[in-house]
């Protein structure tokens, strides 16, 4: 019998700085209701889905950012999401800013079962941006200021969801651009990768020109190649539209193990796109071209784990 799960990419429109969590949560509950009506069994929300993408704002005193963080999950404010999961018998993936009991700060995502249990937690490893205010940038990207590097690796869990069992893992935003992250998930036989993102339409780094349309292309290229090279489905879900005056590009997608886009959001607002994912499709890649056991050559990959920055090659000296 085929293993099919219906997944929903629940893109969120902008959440302004002045808006409270209850507004975002109410919008997400409405998306879960719509997802349920459309037969979705697992709904995926974006990175930092409860607030504005606050790393664009510089706060001199880092502690002043704490109101953007969750110190409990669920909390009174996020409990309606867990209640909706139980009411609609639907799992969900949520990105949020986490403050631990002992005061650590992470950019985190959780996978929640239809019974409202947290099945898996992931903390973002690849934090883009900078730690100090950058006067050259029109818009800041201060993830390195507000978050610590995730300390949970790239975990995968096999768990029941929507009447089947499947292997699920997570990436967060910038992680999707790093093939190493996908491969660590692939090496755990992941079948569905969930990835929330907040990506500005413009490259604000002032380091050179990047054409507007290539921003979306690079995002899709990363997700499609990650899915293909690891024979997995992927759901990449954006926050979209103009948030605190800064445009985020949306274009959420669901991708199959051939790297094909099965569904794509077209608005810059709250939008649900869905796809029936037949997990048997993972078999072709992982038993042929990406049969890791047969073809990987880790003895040739030492640089991947022993080196961080690029080195210069040896220079040819002629004969
Ligand atoms: N939230 C992110 O990680 N955004 C990055 C931006 C800064 C490029 C991304 O990779 O989409």
């Amino acid at each position: 019998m085929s293993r099919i799960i219906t997944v929903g990419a629940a893109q969120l429109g902008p959440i302004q700085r002045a808006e409270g969590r209850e507004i975002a949560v109410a919008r997400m509950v409405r998306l879960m209701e719509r997802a349920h009506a459309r037969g979705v069994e697992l709904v995926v929300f974006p990175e930092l889905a409860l607030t504005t993408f606050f790393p664009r704002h510089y706060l001199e005193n880092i502690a002043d950012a704490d109101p953007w963080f969750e110190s409990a999950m669920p909390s009174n404010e996020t409990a309606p999401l867990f209640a909706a999961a139980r009411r609609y018998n639907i799992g969900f993936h949520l990105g949020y800013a986490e403050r631990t009991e002992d005061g650590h700060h992470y950019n985190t995502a959780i996978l929640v079962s239809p019974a409202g249990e947290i099945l898996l937690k992931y903390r973002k490893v690849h934090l883009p941006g900078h730690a100090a205010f950058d006067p050259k940038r029109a818009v800041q990207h201060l993830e390195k200021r507000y978050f610590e590097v995730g300390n949970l690796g790239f975990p995968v869990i096999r768990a029941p969801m929507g009447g089947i069992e499947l292997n699920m893992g997570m990436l967060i935003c910038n992680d999707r651009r790093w093939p190493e992250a996908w491969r660590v998930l692939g090496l755990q036989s992941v079948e569905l990768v969930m990835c929330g993102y907040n990506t500005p339409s413009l490259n604000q780094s002032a380091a050179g020109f990047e054409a507007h349309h290539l921003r979306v292309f690079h995002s899709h290229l990363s997700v499609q190649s990650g899915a293909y090279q690891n024979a997995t489905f992927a759901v990449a879900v954006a926050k979209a539209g103009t948030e605190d005056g800064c445009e985020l590009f949306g274009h959420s997608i669901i991708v199959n193990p051939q790297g094909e886009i099965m569904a794509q959001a077209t608005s810059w607002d709250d939008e649900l796109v869905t796809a029936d994912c037949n997990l048997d499709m993972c078999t072709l890649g992982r038993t042929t071209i990406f049969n890791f056991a047969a073809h990987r050559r880790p003895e040739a990959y030492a640089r991947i784990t022993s080196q961080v920055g690029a080195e210069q090659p040896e220079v040819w000296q002629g004969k």
Side-chain angles (χ1 to χ4, degrees), residues 47 53 124 128 141 143 173-174 176-177 198-200 215:
E47 174 191 34
F53 186 74
K124 186 173 182 177
H141 194 108
E143 286 197 58
C173 196
N174 191 259
R176 74 195 186 284
R177 305 181 195 273
N198 282 268
T199 305
R215 300 281 284 172

Side-chain angles (χ1 to χ4, degrees), residues 43-73:
V43 67
V44 181
F45 293 115
E47 174 191 34
L48 300 178
L50 298 168
T51 63
T52 190
F53 186 74
F54 63 85
R56 71 169 71 87
H57 299 297
Y58 175 74
L59 300 183
E60 196 169 323
N61 179 3
I62 294 184
D64 290 344
D66 272 353
W68 279 312
F69 285 79
E70 313 302 312
S71 47
M73 189 56 69

Side-chain angles (χ1 to χ4, degrees), residues 133-177:
F133 182 81
D134 181 350
K136 291 198 293 298
R137 293 180 63 110
V139 180
Q140 303 294 301
H141 194 108
L142 292 155
E143 286 197 58
K144 284 183 159 64
R145 181 175 189 80
Y146 296 124
F147 302 120
E148 294 158 66
V149 172
N151 59 354
L152 301 176
F154 296 97
V156 172
I157 186 91
R158 183 171 186 84
M161 192 68 71
I164 59 167
E165 280 197 354
L166 72 159
N167 305 342
M168 294 168 283
M170 296 182 269
L171 300 173
I172 300 180
C173 196
N174 191 259
D175 288 323
R176 74 195 186 284
R177 305 181 195 273

